Amino acid sequence: MEIFIGIVILVIIVALFSQGSSCYVCDLPIKKKSYRWDLDGKRRTLCPKCNSQMERKISKEAFKNKFG
């Protein structure tokens, strides 16, 4: 009986921590691939779509800074 209770508690803990994360920008659930960015001074998780948008934004700013 004690082993059964321990297994149930372990399953509940694993279920709580294995919930999928969501994108910081669009708030959609992340299914497979996620990307980490430092936004607002904190480490944030982005979905592939928002990651590509951020990469384009950073690239555009870098190009503008270099070439005016």
Side-chain angles (χ1 to χ4, degrees):
M1 185 67 177
E2 296 163 355
I3 294 174
F4 178 73
I5 294 172
I7 292 173
V8 170
I9 292 173
L10 182 65
V11 168
I12 291 172
I13 291 172
V14 168
L16 289 174
F17 285 107
S18 67
Q19 293 176 351
S21 61
S22 61
C23 178
Y24 175 71
V25 177
C26 66
D27 205 32
L28 290 176
I30 296 176
K31 296 181 180 173
K32 292 183 180 179
K33 186 81 174 168
S34 65
Y35 299 89
R36 296 278 191 184
W37 282 80
D38 289 324
L39 302 172
D40 303 329
K42 295 183 181 176
R43 199 93 165 132
R44 306 292 185 173
T45 304
L46 300 181
C47 66
K49 180 183 174 199
C50 294
N51 178 63
S52 64
Q53 290 174 344
M54 287 294 291
E55 285 178 342
R56 280 194 304 269
K57 179 182 174 188
I58 298 297
S59 177
K60 183 178 179 181
E61 289 173 359
F63 186 85
K64 191 174 185 178
N65 289 339
K66 183 163 180 124
F67 298 110

